[in-house]
Amino acid sequence: MRRLLLWMVFSFLFINTFSQTINISGVTTSGKFSLCGGTGPVVTATLIASTGTSVVGNSLICNDPCGTSTLRMVISNVQWQKGNDDNWIHGVFFPVNPGFSVSGIIMPTNWNSFASCTGANCSTGQTGGQGFYFDGTGDDCCNPVLNDGLPGNNYGDPLFDCGQTLSFQFDMTFCNSAITGSDLSFQLTGTSDGNTGCYSVPDPNRNNRINFSIATSSCPDIYTIPFTSTIITDCSATPINYYAVLTGGCGNGNTVTSRDAPFGGNQIGTGVPF
């Protein structure tokens, strides 16, 4: 009986975990990520925390645009062609201000997750967004300390080239309002140390990309009634004017729109707030 109970608990946990897995599509690479051959990156996504979303049929279903979702992401089998030895990989990151947060869980040796990184003066000084940067070498134009939390003063990873792979495990949290269709697309950019690090020879090709999409179902239209905290009275006019600052809710993207009729009508104005 005890063995049966344990098996039932294990089966439930397995099914529950499996059901949180989200389908990934459109995994493509370009630039130095695509020059080593092989099968390319492998991307997995698992829903680990949410308010207003669930996984049904391996798609992330949005029921409430005002909630948030956290995915446990794993990107493995990442390859990079170093080429002429001037382009050591230094950063793998999302765009600046992507609308979501990233927290590293398992990183390659001497790599860490950072909110952003800007290359040193001897490089092109390129700025990368949230992602993963190499923080484990010295260089010819800065005075770094190993893993000092300042990846911009480092060379890239000196050992990484075709024949080796990188893997990143991280948590990604975003607002459900970002889910507007049947998939949600993401793009990672890769840079050498001459761009976001501290090396004097830049990589002229900035089109080093990894793209992928997760399967989703868009949020329903939920429009919350705008609210105001203060009504201002203007006694200088006749008749007296009353003013109010209206603040919208999450369901309408925090945007308040005024029209001259309850349905349809002409738009009078719009704003955040209005």
Side-chain angles (χ1 to χ4, degrees), residues 20-262:
Q20 301 304 301
T21 302
I22 302 169
N23 284 340
I24 302 293
S25 64
V27 180
T28 61
T29 58
S30 62
K32 289 180 170 57
F33 286 127
S34 64
L35 299 178
C36 293
T39 58
V42 177
V43 183
T44 64
T46 304
L47 180 66
I48 62 171
S50 70
T51 54
T53 56
S54 60
V55 177
V56 178
N58 299 114
S59 290
L60 184 63
I61 308 300
C62 177
N63 301 307
D64 180 4
C66 298
T68 60
S69 298
T70 299
L71 305 182
R72 175 68 49 84
M73 305 294 305
V74 178
I75 301 179
S76 58
N77 200 44
V78 176
Q79 299 187 74
W80 172 276
Q81 187 189 68
K82 186 164 58 175
N84 61 6
D85 204 42
D86 280 334
N87 296 302
W88 295 0
I89 186 171
H90 177 262
V92 180
F93 52 86
F94 292 96
V96 176
N97 300 320
F100 53 84
S101 62
V102 173
S103 176
I105 304 297
I106 300 177
M107 301 284 104
T109 302
N110 291 323
W111 287 74
N112 278 297
S113 59
F114 295 93
S116 66
C117 176
T118 300
N121 292 335
C122 65
S123 73
T124 62
Q126 181 178 346
T127 296
Q130 292 187 77
F132 321 107
Y133 298 89
F134 190 75
D135 192 25
T137 61
D139 74 293
D140 63 348
C141 63
C142 305
N143 296 301
V145 177
L146 188 68
N147 292 315
D148 61 356
L150 300 172
N153 65 6
N154 285 264
Y155 282 148
D157 192 328
L159 302 178
F160 190 68
D161 201 356
C162 289
Q164 299 173 314
T165 61
L166 291 174
S167 296
F168 302 93
Q169 183 181 112
F170 57 96
D171 289 346
M172 175 192 297
T173 301
F174 53 86
C175 294
N176 296 345
S177 56
I179 304 173
T180 59
S182 60
D183 58 61
L184 186 57
S185 298
F186 299 93
Q187 183 178 86
L188 285 159
T189 297
T191 51
S192 73
D193 46 13
N195 297 75
T196 53
C198 197
Y199 185 60
S200 58
V201 180
D203 175 12
N205 179 18
R206 296 196 179 191
N207 189 35
N208 307 306
R209 313 277 196 229
I210 299 174
N211 298 285
F212 63 92
S213 299
I214 64 172
T216 61
S217 179
S218 59
C219 301
D221 291 330
I222 299 177
Y223 295 98
T224 54
I225 299 174
F227 64 90
T228 179
S229 58
T230 303
I231 297 178
I232 302 171
T233 303
D234 180 7
C235 298
S236 64
T238 303
I240 296 175
N241 287 329
Y242 296 93
Y243 300 93
V245 176
L246 301 179
T247 302
C250 165
N252 49 5
N254 298 321
T255 299
V256 177
T257 300
S258 176
R259 295 182 178 273
D260 60 7

Side-chain angles (χ1 to χ4, degrees), residues 11-21 46-47:
S11 299
F12 172 79
L13 291 174
F14 175 80
I15 293 171
N16 187 60
T17 300
F18 179 78
S19 68
Q20 301 304 301
T21 302
T46 304
L47 180 66

